[in-house]
Every structure is written in C-alpha cells, then in structure tokens.
Amino acid sequence: MRFTRPAGTNGGPQGLPGISTTGRRAGTFCMLLIVALAVQSTRVQVFQKKELDHNAANQRATIQRYSQPRGNLLVAGQPVTGSTETGGRYAYKRTYSDGALYAAVTGYSSQTYGNTQLEGVYDDVLSGTDPALAGWAVWDAVTRQQQPGGDVVTTIDPAAQRAAVQGLGNQKGAVAAIEPATGRILALASTPSYDPGSFAGTSNADQDAWKKLQDDPDQPMLNRALRQIYPPGSTFKVVTAAAALASGVVTDIDAPTDAPYPYVMPGTTTPLNNDTTACDRAGLSLDEAMTLSCNSVMGYLGVQTGLDRMTAMARNFGFNDAKLDTPVRAARSNFDTTMNTSQLALSSIGQYDTAATPLVMAMVAAGAANDGQVMHPQLVDKLTKADGSQVQLMHPSLYHQAFGSGVARQLQQLMVDVVENGTGRNARIPGAEVGGKTGTAQHGVDNSGTPYAWFIAWARPAGSGSVPPVAVAVVVADSQATDVTGGGLAAPIAKSVMQAVLNR
C-alpha cells in the first residue's frame, strides 16, 4: 500500500505528519531564547558573582553578616567585644565592653559604616563566612551555609594598655609597646579616643554619633599609633648612633669624636644649634652627645656616616616601608633617600622631612633591646573557631637584622646613660634597668607649633641580662602642660607602661 502526502503539508520522517515552516522557526527561536538565557545566567552567576556580591545595592551579604552573633576580639583570653539582638532587619549588632580603651586595637564594626582595623581585616572570620571555619568547606560554599563567628586572640596586655591610655589622659598622643623578642604588640593607644559601639547600628542615634565624631576637630577616630606620622626629633638619634657604630664611624662610645663646635651644616652658613650649652664644645664623645642630646654632634655623625648607610639603617627599623602590616597596615614612616648634606644633618636629629609612626619608633627601641634583631610587629596571636579550636597560629618573624650584638651592647649602654644621667631621668624604675631616649620635635611654620614630646625606651629587671620584655614609644602631640619636653611629658607615660609589663 502506498501512502500519499496530504495536500498542503510537509512530509516528516517515516511518513509522519510534518512540521510547518512556521513551526520550525518558532522552535528555533525558542531554542535561541533558552541558549541566551543560559548564557546570561552563566554570566551573572559565574563571571559577575564577585561584582554583584560587593555591589552596594546588594544587601544579602550584609544581612547574612549580621544574622548571628559576631565572633569576638580577645585580650588576655577575655572578650572585649560582644553582640546584641536588634529586632530589626540586621538581627545582631556589635557591642564593646570598654570601647574607648581598645578602639585603637579593635577598630569598629558598624552596620552602616563598615569595618576597620582588626574588625575589618578579620571580618570573614568574625562573621563566620571564612571557609577556614567550615568542616566541609566545599559543601558549605555551595550551600552558602554560615558558620558561627570565630574569635581573634590579640597580643595586647590589658595592664599595659590601661596604663598607656590613662597616662595619655586628655592629651593628643599615642603609645605603642612591643615585646622585643617576638614583636608582639603589648599596647596600642591613641587619644582622644572614641566608643565604636556608639554607631554600630542603623538608628538615627548611631548616625548622629558618627557625624559628631567626624566633625570633631580633635579627630578621635584617627589612630595616632599606627596611622599618623610625626617628626621624631631626638629619639631618631638612636638610629643615627646605630648607623655610626655599625659603619665604624664611631668605634668607642666614650672616645672623643671629631665633631667640631660650632658645627656649620655643609653648603650653608647655618650652625646646627643645641638646646643646652653643655653641648657647646668640640670633641664630645658619642655617650656625652646622647646623654645631653647634642644636635651638633649627632648631625655631624649622620653626615659622616653618609646618606646610603643612614637610609639603610632607617629602613632596618621600618622607615620607608609602605606595607608594614600588624596585620592592620601602618602609615609609611619617612626618611628621605635623596638629600644634600645639610638636609642629612637635620634628618639625623629627626627633623627636616623625617617622620615616623609611634609603632616604628617602638620598633627602634625594640631592635636596640633585642641585640639588633627587629621583629615584625604582631597584633594577633591566633584565630580560633567559636569552640576555641585553632584555625591559625601566628609565629614571630624577623623583620630585619639591623646590626650585631656588639653594636647592640653599645647602643643599650648609651640609652641607659640617657636615663641614669641625662634627659630621661623621669623614666627610671626601681629594681629595673631602663634605657631610653627623649625627643622634642619642632614643627609648623618657622617651628611655631607646640613641640611634639617623644620618649622611646626599653626595660628589664635589674641584673637579669636577658632580652627586655618591653619596649615602648610615646608621643604627646598636643598638651596644655608647661614643660613640653620628651623627658617631662612622655617619659612618665612610658615608665607606667613598662612598669605594668614588669609587674605582671
């Protein structure tokens, strides 16, 4: 039997009724739509995922971040942070048990204004979104399951921190204290301070608190210990002395130097003046120059050491490092690498364009105390899960070997003599050996600004001979005191911080 095609139709396979031209076109069009949809879906979900996740209009990640209690920042094993229920879209917000005391350490976590410092660096751990917290990382990534927030265990010594903040009081200033052998940061204080919990939420009160802090001319939210640089003044003479000793320009700290008086800076007719007439004579030894804080001698020795060796020594202590992380990044401390000799003379006494964070000046004191080994500054001991199990343990690491033990012994003696016989007497501690250096740094147009009062130091139990357990840098940037000097203002603060560590 023979089948015939019905009139007006197209034949299909096996003689079945065919599909019209219009039908094929419609099918092809539908197929193209499906392909286009698949391509668009792939583009959005794969290639644009990161961009969309971080889009300001995408609230999913923020809602997720605050959907559960946040992990804590710990000091000496105790949390200094917490979380409280809000009853709103963001279920929990951050709280701080002693916010102003630890603000320079913790930073803030705000539902409106984001996260900074340790709260920012470890936001994934604290919010529970870090894959390292998951037992089955791949499965949790696929299901987007959120783990309980982990904890960040800091290196801070609560007694040292409290001594630093109380010592600074109402003055503008900062303190950084370091354990020389490890680089662990024991105190990090900046005043005036602020309460990071005052704007942790989304209410009108939170927004008002934020605006008030932003408009405050005293800049309470500026982390002066890590993010502000100041001319270090005569505290930089420790770096100059280290460079002169390490390069062989000075071999005996008690022998007369070739420094003339007056010392006229090279290429100029300007003498480098001293703050005391006791320095106004030629041939002073390095020990005398450090004890009396003689500008003329130290400027001369910096020039004799030379720009390259001075720059290298400054770099050993953290100057000119734009990526100095604690893990919170510090501002770049500056020692110019292109200067004429008169500018080098000024830089060698901590003036001209030389500027440093308190953190870097604490590293200077710590390197001197630790036989020339400058350790990488470290603000965190470890990261843990909510149950206390370890996620990551931080280990001490060498930042630079600045000089050898022989130079270190001479440098330590110079600093001890400053405290025992010179401008640093206010830092003496009964039963302890203390080495330090004062600094009073001029600034402003024609040096018209209130001087910055500096003190850097280290301390250890008398007769121990061990690496000192603490080194500290203090700067008072603005004070109503009449004695605006490093020895008068900053040294007593450093003393109280060092005592707190020695007494623990």
Side-chain angles (χ1 to χ4, degrees):
M1 181 180 291
R2 183 178 179 183
F3 292 96
T4 59
R5 182 183 301 163
T9 66
N10 297 316
Q14 299 179 355
L16 296 178
I19 301 174
S20 69
T21 301
T22 302
R24 285 202 306 271
R25 289 173 179 172
T28 301
F29 180 70
C30 290
M31 180 63 70
L32 290 173
L33 287 177
I34 293 171
V35 170
L37 182 61
V39 170
Q40 173 66 1
S41 178
T42 301
R43 185 176 70 87
V44 169
Q45 296 187 41
V46 177
F47 297 104
Q48 288 189 311
K49 177 182 180 297
K50 186 174 182 181
E51 177 185 344
L52 293 173
D53 279 347
H54 293 87
N55 190 301
N58 182 3
Q59 292 292 298
R60 182 188 58 77
T62 306
I63 292 171
Q64 180 186 26
R65 179 180 289 113
Y66 297 108
S67 65
Q68 63 179 14
R70 191 168 172 84
N72 286 312
L73 296 162
L74 276 59
V75 172
Q78 299 300 313
V80 296
T81 57
S83 297
T84 185
E85 290 189 73
T86 65
R89 185 182 189 189
Y90 303 142
Y92 291 86
K93 74 173 184 177
R94 185 54 122 187
T95 60
Y96 298 85
S97 56
D98 205 340
L101 177 63
Y102 293 108
V105 177
T106 63
Y108 61 78
S109 178
S110 169
Q111 294 173 345
T112 305
Y113 304 106
N115 309 288
T116 63
Q117 294 171 213
L118 290 184
E119 291 274 32
V121 173
Y122 293 114
D123 179 55
D124 288 349
V125 171
L126 294 165
S127 64
T129 59
D130 193 311
L133 300 175
W136 296 89
V138 175
W139 174 251
D140 288 339
V142 171
T143 61
R144 292 181 177 266
Q145 180 176 345
Q146 188 174 6
Q147 300 296 316
D151 294 335
V152 177
V153 181
T154 74
T155 59
I156 295 296
D157 181 316
Q161 182 74 11
R162 195 169 296 278
V165 171
Q166 291 177 348
L168 288 167
N170 295 324
Q171 304 171 116
K172 287 182 184 177
V175 174
I178 292 175
E179 186 175 69
T182 63
R184 297 172 71 250
I185 298 173
L186 304 177
L188 199 68
S190 175
T191 56
S193 188
Y194 68 100
D195 178 11
S198 65
F199 53 88
T202 60
S203 70
N204 290 335
D206 291 282
Q207 295 174 42
D208 290 343
W210 172 267
K211 186 177 186 306
K212 184 178 179 181
L213 288 168
Q214 294 296 304
D215 293 342
D216 192 329
D218 289 336
Q219 296 180 280
M221 296 183 71
L222 173 63
N223 189 332
R224 291 174 167 86
L226 290 180
R227 298 298 306 163
Q228 184 68 24
I229 58 174
Y230 305 91
S234 292
T235 57
F236 190 82
K237 291 172 182 175
V238 174
V239 179
T240 302
L245 289 166
S247 63
V249 170
V250 175
T251 57
D252 183 349
I253 63 174
D254 295 312
T257 65
D258 295 330
Y261 181 80
Y263 174 55
V264 179
M265 290 182 284
T268 76
T269 58
T270 305
L272 194 53
N273 294 321
N274 297 305
D275 294 327
T276 172
T277 57
C279 293
D280 294 348
R281 50 196 170 93
L284 289 169
S285 69
L286 178 57
D287 186 70
E288 291 172 313
M290 287 286 284
T291 301
L292 299 170
S293 199
C294 300
N295 294 334
S296 57
V297 177
M298 300 309 297
Y300 170 81
L301 291 178
V303 171
Q304 296 304 114
T305 301
L307 178 60
D308 289 346
R309 291 187 291 195
M310 284 293 297
T311 300
M313 186 58 70
R315 188 178 294 115
N316 285 340
F317 290 115
F319 283 84
N320 299 335
D321 186 347
K323 297 182 179 180
L324 183 60
D325 295 336
T326 65
V328 179
R329 180 154 294 180
R332 180 184 181 275
S333 297
N334 182 69
F335 187 82
D336 277 5
T337 58
T338 55
M339 292 184 280
N340 62 37
T341 48
S342 64
Q343 293 165 342
L344 177 58
L346 289 170
S347 294
S348 299
I349 62 170
Q351 296 287 173
Y352 184 55
D353 283 344
T354 303
T357 60
L359 174 71
V360 160
M361 293 313 298
M363 292 168 67
V364 171
N370 192 34
D371 291 338
Q373 294 185 73
V374 183
M375 304 301 289
H376 200 289
Q378 176 183 326
L379 190 53
V380 173
D381 269 335
K382 61 181 177 179
L383 308 178
T384 71
K385 296 182 180 181
D387 62 7
S389 59
Q390 184 174 290
V391 173
Q392 183 180 359
L393 178 66
M394 314 306 180
H395 298 281
S397 62
L398 180 67
Y399 181 72
H400 284 298
Q401 180 72 53
F403 42 80
S405 58
V407 170
R409 285 192 295 271
Q410 291 175 297
L411 201 58
Q412 289 171 16
Q413 186 60 56
L414 293 173
M415 296 178 75
V416 168
D417 288 345
V418 168
V419 173
E420 290 299 317
N421 309 312
T423 56
R425 290 184 178 88
N426 284 337
R428 288 182 290 189
I429 299 173
E433 181 182 42
V434 180
K437 184 68 190 78
T438 55
T440 306
Q442 305 296 328
H443 70 100
V445 179
D446 296 326
N447 294 332
S448 59
T450 302
Y452 298 134
W454 278 93
F455 192 70
I456 65 172
W458 49 263
R460 61 186 164 201
S464 71
S466 59
V467 175
V470 59
V472 64
V474 178
V475 63
V476 178
D478 190 12
S479 173
Q480 300 302 313
T482 55
D483 181 14
V484 185
T485 63
L489 278 182
I493 301 172
K495 174 183 177 178
S496 66
V497 174
M498 293 187 293
Q499 280 183 310
V501 176
L502 292 174
N503 291 342
R504 72 184 177 185

